[in-house]
Structure formats: C-alpha cells, structure tokens
Amino acid sequence: MTVYDELVARGLIAQVTDEEEIKELINTGKAVFYIGFDPTADSLHVGHFMALCLMKRLQMAGNKPIALIGGGTGMIGDPSGRSDMRQMMTPETIQHNCSCFKEQMGKFIDFSEGKALMVNNADWLMDLNYIDVLREVGPHFSVNRMLTAECYKQRMEKGLSFLEFNYMIMQSYDFYALFQKYGCNMQFGGDDQWSNMLGGTELIRRKLGKDAYAMTITLLLNSEGKKMGKTQSGAVWLDPKKTSPYDFYQYWRNVADADVLKCIRMLTFLPLEEINKMDAWEGAQLNQAKEILAFELTKMVHGEAEAQKAQDAAKAIFSSGNAADMPSATLAGDDFKDGAIDILGLLVKSGLASSRSEARRAVEQGGVSVNGEKVADIKVSYRPEDFGNGMVLKKGKKSFRKILL
C-alpha cells in the first residue's frame, strides 16, 4: 500500500485538485506541504490532532512539512464556521501563542536539520502595502465567486465585515508566498477551508503561469476534528497545565462507540491490518478499543509514562473508587469556614464546578458522590479529619478528583 493509499484507507482524504500529481509527490517523498494554525489560544487542542498526525505521518514518509503559524491572519480572524466576529488579539498575545504552539508541535514534528519548517505569515503579510495588494492580488479574485464560498455563508446572515472578507485573500497569499520562498507545492486543510485553498492554488497559477506547480488537498473530517476539541466543560488542550494527562486520557476513553474505530484509524499509528481486525469488535471489546485509543494518543502528547499513569488511575477508579495518580486538588486551612467546608465549596475548590450554583445543580440532579456514596443534601459539610489520606470526589460519570489537605 502506498503512502497516499494509506491516507485514503484511514479516511483522511476528501477532495484533491490534481490527484495523480499529488500521489506522485507524496509517494516519492517530494511533497513540501503546509498546514496553517491560527494562534487563537496559548495551546493547541485535540481539534488540531488530525493535522498534527497527518504532518507526522507524511514526514515519516520523507515529505517536508511546513507548520504555518497565522501571526498575520490572526490579526484578522478566520470567519469559517463563525456566527459572529472573532475578538481582536494584540500583537503581544499572538506572539505568545505562536511560541507556545512551536513548543507543542515539536512533540509531533521533527524540526531538526531542515526536516520541517515553522514559519509565521506575519513575516510577509505585515509588510504588504495596501495599494500593492489591490493591484497585484485583487485582480485575481472575483467578488461574486468569493460570496458563494462556504466559509462566508454563516457570517453573511449576521453581517460579514470587510475585515473578515479579506481573510480568503490573505490565506491565498500565504500559499503564494510559501511557494516562492520555500518551494511549497502542496497545501492541506479542513473541508471548511476548501474555497480558501483553491484561491491559493489559482493565485499561484495565474500570477506565475499555468505550469506553476501547486496543489490542494483537504482532510475528510477536519471540521469534525475541530469539534472534537470542545466538550461541555470547555476545550481539551494539549498543554498539561490546562488539561491534565488523566483528563486527556479520559476524554478519548469516553468517545462514542460509533467513533472509536474511526478515531483509531485517523489519529493513531497502529497498522491498518491490526485496526481492521477491530471492525468485528462489539460490546466490551469496544471499551478495549477506547482504552487503546486513549493510551496511544496520551502517549503521543504526554509521553508513555504519563499515559500509563492515566490508564492505571482510570482502571483503579472504576475498580476501587480510588487511585494515587488521579487528578487531585489540595485544600488549605483557610478553605474551611468554622472548621468545615460544604459540598458546594468542595466542588468549586476542586475545579469540578465553576460556581456554587453549578455545584448546587450537580448535587440536586444526583450527579455527585464522595468516596463512592451519593451526596443528596447541598448542606452536607466536611471537617479536616474526614479527609484521611484523601477523599475521592466524583461529578457525573467521568469527572473525578482526589481531595487532599
């Protein structure tokens, strides 16, 4: 099976512009490709997983990835999938986020000895002259065609600003600049980015001639992958300070039965032959598949030692209701009022609830337990001696904390 065939078999490819040429470049290790990341936070999240794994997979086959950080486009904001305009970030915030991205990407991509590049589009976009853009780039874009792009449709309902309207042109210019500066001949992106990507390919060919070698390719479920990054409690980050290795493991351990094999195919590096055998798995075997998925991805992000700790902790929690390595929270003396702390305060201090009102709802709905016993009274309180060597606090089916003094 060729490298390209494996990408198809893993469900990663949706649309391409020049399939035979793309196959040739990828299979022979001659692709110089880029994927863009907008620095909207100081950490990547699981919605970026598919892109990172794809870059790693292609680099292993001899191709050269370029991680493009959107320090310039981040000043505008991508309107794709948005019903309102993104909040404007300061240049200082964008630069900080870019630095955080680079550190995290190093766990997936080998940047040594020119094997991969990380570049920031602020290096060329911030120096562009507005009149030059209008004259040199503007003539190659049809407003009528741009208005039909999927990335603008949702924003059109509430009003698309001229600022955001320029995003497609800026992203297209990125491919043009990367083609000229680094010989980048291929771009990858989510299916929601298709119009922007085609704009880049067409810009190169129109400005440099039909023989200019530039292609586009999309990832089948990258838009769905972005949704993977959000849960009811917020984003699932790759930064362990934002999402602990245990919580990261638990996120993947609790994916839906219908999604687990799809995620294993797209995101892990297990052989397809091994994964295909799992197609017949049912019932309890799907739980085993979820454990495999959670372990493999936690190992990829946090290392094998942390992945093993998270797996052992998860198993211990469900077998005995306790575990040394589960996420913990520590109480101080001033957390106790009149020598006690109530269950609502305990939930807030542990981080399992963001407010006392949220904690109250969780208790009233029967979703809170302490050391395996359900808590039904919001007035229940605990004294220091009740904690012993640690108290296991549980909210819902998936969230645990070991409370220490």
Side-chain angles (χ1 to χ4, degrees), residues 6 38 41 48 64 106 165 191 200 218 240 258 330 371 377 393 398:
E6 182 173 350
D38 272 344
H48 297 112
K64 185 175 182 177
F165 188 60
D191 52 7
T218 68
T330 302
N371 291 336
D377 186 355
L393 179 64
K398 307 172 184 178

Side-chain angles (χ1 to χ4, degrees), residues 73-92:
T73 44
M75 298 291 288
I76 297 175
D78 184 359
S80 301
R82 303 284 298 184
S83 59
D84 56 2
M85 186 171 166
R86 293 184 187 273
Q87 183 176 355
M88 299 283 279
M89 296 185 293
T90 65
E92 292 77 15

Side-chain angles (χ1 to χ4, degrees), residues 198-250:
L198 286 178
T201 296
E202 292 175 3
L203 178 61
I204 292 172
R205 293 177 177 177
R206 287 177 181 175
K207 285 189 68 65
L208 304 179
K210 293 183 179 179
D211 293 332
Y213 213 40
M215 287 157 277
T216 58
I217 191 168
T218 68
L219 308 184
L220 175 61
L221 293 168
N222 207 26
S223 295
E224 183 174 323
K226 290 180 180 179
K227 296 175 185 178
M228 289 180 185
K230 300 289 184 180
T231 68
Q232 291 181 350
S233 59
V236 179
W237 305 101
L238 305 195
D239 185 345
K241 295 178 182 177
K242 290 177 172 287
T243 298
S244 71
Y246 172 82
D247 286 335
F248 186 86
Y249 177 94
Q250 281 297 101

Side-chain angles (χ1 to χ4, degrees), residues 59 64 106 109-117:
Q59 186 181 50
K64 185 175 182 177
I109 305 164
D110 181 4
F111 289 101
S112 67
E113 302 175 354
K115 296 176 183 176
L117 295 174

Side-chain angles (χ1 to χ4, degrees), residues 76-146:
I76 297 175
D78 184 359
S80 301
R82 303 284 298 184
S83 59
D84 56 2
M85 186 171 166
R86 293 184 187 273
Q87 183 176 355
M88 299 283 279
M89 296 185 293
T90 65
E92 292 77 15
T93 297
I94 292 173
Q95 183 55 50
H96 171 71
N97 293 349
C98 289
S99 299
C100 294
F101 277 23
K102 184 172 184 178
E103 181 179 351
Q104 293 177 348
M105 286 181 180
K107 297 179 180 179
F108 294 82
I109 305 164
D110 181 4
F111 289 101
S112 67
E113 302 175 354
K115 296 176 183 176
L117 295 174
M118 175 171 287
V119 297
N120 189 329
N121 64 13
D123 293 344
W124 54 83
L125 292 181
M126 300 295 282
D127 293 333
L128 287 176
N129 178 282
Y130 185 60
I131 298 299
D132 289 342
V133 172
L134 291 179
R135 287 178 57 86
E136 300 298 324
V137 181
H140 301 290
F141 288 84
S142 162
V143 171
N144 289 351
R145 185 173 178 183
M146 290 173 70

Side-chain angles (χ1 to χ4, degrees), residues 290-316:
K290 293 177 185 181
E291 290 178 356
I292 292 172
L293 172 68
F295 183 85
E296 290 296 321
L297 298 189
T298 306
K299 179 175 69 173
M300 196 183 304
V301 175
H302 299 296
E304 188 166 2
E306 290 296 332
Q308 192 62 58
K309 284 183 182 179
Q311 187 173 74
D312 292 345
K315 290 181 177 179

